[in-house]
């Protein structure tokens, strides 16, 4: 990894097939295109040395638990392991918060696996608190319990 900061680029469904090494860890290629085609969704990819190294995905939709204002879902932040500690996750997070704020939302919410302690710690550091129990998250053959976290923008 070079010392340069990753750059960000918005991604649409037409680019889903060109990012298989990134999407393949989280979505099937066809599923990635479907997710990116969903109305009120936005995805940004982090690029370092001309290679995608992470992404964020937001959906402007409210949570399953009521909040006192309009909300958007931070559907996912994903960063490849080589980027841990390089600031890429923070860059993607800040970009997502800016986009949610620009959309006129008061809240951001997300679903996180109760088993993903690294992700929970990341979000709690940014002021997210648990507002409820989420649905199951399926990873391969595993079914993981989850929580819904939220914070005011």
């Amino acid at each position: 990894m070079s010392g340069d900061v990753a750059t960000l680029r918005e991604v649409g469904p037409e680019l889903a097939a060109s990012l298989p090494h990134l999407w393949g860890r989280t979505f099937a290629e066809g599923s990635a295109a479907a997710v990116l085609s969903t109305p009120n969704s936005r995805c940004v990819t982090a690029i370092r040395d001309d290679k995608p190294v992470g992404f964020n995905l937001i959906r402007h939709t409210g949570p399953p638990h009521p909040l006192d204002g309009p909300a958007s879902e931070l559907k996912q932040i994903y960063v490849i392991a080589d980027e841990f500690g390089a600031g890429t996750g923070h860059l993607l997070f800040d970009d997502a918060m800016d986009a949610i704020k620009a959309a006129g939302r008061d809240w951001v919410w997300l679903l996180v696996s109760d088993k993903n302690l690294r992700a929970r710690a990341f979000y709690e550091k940014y002021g997210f608190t648990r507002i409820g129990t989420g649905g199951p998250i399926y990873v391969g053959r595993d079914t993981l319990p989850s929580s819904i976290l939220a914070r005011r923008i």
Side-chain angles (χ1 to χ4, degrees):
M1 166 178 24
S2 75
D4 297 335
V5 174
T7 58
L8 301 179
R9 184 175 83 186
E10 194 160 344
V11 176
E14 70 285 353
L15 294 176
S18 68
L19 304 171
H21 79 282
L22 210 56
W23 299 123
R25 297 176 186 183
T26 55
F27 303 105
E29 180 183 312
S31 175
V35 168
L36 295 174
S37 297
T38 304
N40 296 318
S41 292
R42 176 183 178 269
C43 182
V44 167
T45 299
I47 308 290
R48 185 185 305 278
D49 299 328
D50 296 320
K51 295 181 182 133
V53 294
F55 68 89
N56 71 33
L57 177 61
I58 59 175
R59 292 180 6 182
H60 299 297
T61 183
H65 291 275
L67 294 168
D68 64 347
S72 291
E73 179 186 15
L74 178 55
K75 183 74 175 158
Q76 189 165 15
I77 291 180
Y78 177 80
V79 176
I80 64 171
D82 288 349
E83 289 289 308
F84 291 174
T88 304
H90 298 287
L91 182 68
L92 288 164
F93 179 84
D94 289 346
D95 173 77
M97 295 306 102
D98 290 346
I100 291 168
K101 187 183 288 186
R105 306 304 175 139
D106 296 330
W107 290 89
V108 58
W109 68 278
L110 58 91
L111 191 69
V112 64
S113 165
D114 293 338
K115 307 260 183 203
N116 190 342
L117 302 180
R118 182 183 192 100
R120 285 188 72 109
F122 180 88
Y123 294 123
E124 288 170 358
K125 181 169 78 171
Y126 279 102
F128 283 82
T129 57
R130 187 177 189 279
I131 63 167
T133 301
I137 296 175
Y138 302 100
V139 179
R141 295 180 183 205
D142 296 328
T143 302
L144 307 174
S146 69
S147 293
I148 300 169
L149 307 181
R151 78 163 233 199
R152 189 173 285 280
I153 295 286

